[in-house]
Amino acid sequence: MRAITASRAERLPIGEISRLSGVNIETIRYYERIKMLPAPQRTASGRRVYGTTELRMLAFIRRSRELGFSLNEIRALLRLGAPGRASCSEVKVIATHHLEDIRAKLSDLRKLERLLAKTVARCSGKKVPNCPVLDILRRASPLHL
């Protein structure tokens, strides 16, 4: 985010806050609809305007999403991060749960990699009536149970 003057920072249009935060305009509107962001101030003509608080929130949300946190987890982190309310132990609980989810996904991906590697190794690459890769995909399909 580039530095902006304080007076100008309190009246940023949605396109500018989108550019500065790296969050798509439609995503900003979505975050407003689901109450991740407070309703913005409006100009006399009804255009949304934002300040530095919203800019910081959007940057926080974007980074949290990059790290794979769910919207509910981010909502909880935002509540905990309010001035005077931050509790490292509560944040740690959320982050620990997220870390456990990531580790479980990594374990599943390693199992998937081993299975697919074995299956691909069995594939001759020639025209044959039975393809090991297609066979394993058919077995997992609900149509072939």
Side-chain angles (χ1 to χ4, degrees), residues 12-35:
L12 295 170
I14 195 167
E16 182 72 359
I17 201 165
S18 171
R19 189 180 67 72
L20 290 170
S21 67
V23 178
N24 181 286
I25 290 172
E26 289 305 315
T27 304
I28 293 171
R29 290 182 182 137
Y30 172 70
Y31 290 157
E32 290 169 11
R33 277 194 310 275
I34 66 168
K35 310 273 190 254

Side-chain angles (χ1 to χ4, degrees), residues 73-90:
E73 290 169 328
I74 297 168
R75 192 177 273 116
L77 291 169
L78 284 169
R79 275 193 305 272
L80 292 172
R85 298 169 82 187
S87 166
C88 194
S89 64
E90 291 173 293

Side-chain angles (χ1 to χ4, degrees), residues 82-143:
R85 298 169 82 187
S87 166
C88 194
S89 64
E90 291 173 293
V91 172
K92 183 177 180 179
V93 168
I94 294 168
T96 300
H97 180 264
H98 184 60
L99 180 59
E100 290 167 357
D101 287 347
I102 289 170
R103 287 179 173 154
K105 288 176 187 174
L106 286 170
S107 175
D108 289 345
L109 284 171
R110 281 189 286 275
K111 290 174 190 173
L112 180 60
E113 177 192 26
R114 286 190 300 272
L115 175 63
L116 192 54
K118 286 178 188 176
T119 304
V120 168
R122 289 182 27 226
C123 186
S124 68
K126 299 177 183 173
K127 281 191 171 185
V128 293
N130 295 318
C131 174
V133 175
L134 291 177
D135 288 345
I136 198 166
L137 293 173
R138 282 190 200 110
R139 272 189 252 137
S141 170
L143 297 175

Side-chain angles (χ1 to χ4, degrees), residues 2-61:
R2 68 177 172 85
I4 47 182
T5 62
S7 61
R8 185 167 168 319
E10 294 304 319
R11 305 281 299 166
L12 295 170
I14 195 167
E16 182 72 359
I17 201 165
S18 171
R19 189 180 67 72
L20 290 170
S21 67
V23 178
N24 181 286
I25 290 172
E26 289 305 315
T27 304
I28 293 171
R29 290 182 182 137
Y30 172 70
Y31 290 157
E32 290 169 11
R33 277 194 310 275
I34 66 168
K35 310 273 190 254
M36 291 282 290
L37 274 180
Q41 294 180 353
R42 302 262 181 173
T43 63
S45 64
R47 296 181 74 153
R48 291 171 165 91
V49 289
Y50 302 85
T52 54
T53 300
E54 292 83 9
L55 181 58
R56 282 192 300 273
M57 287 178 76
L58 282 169
F60 181 88
I61 294 168

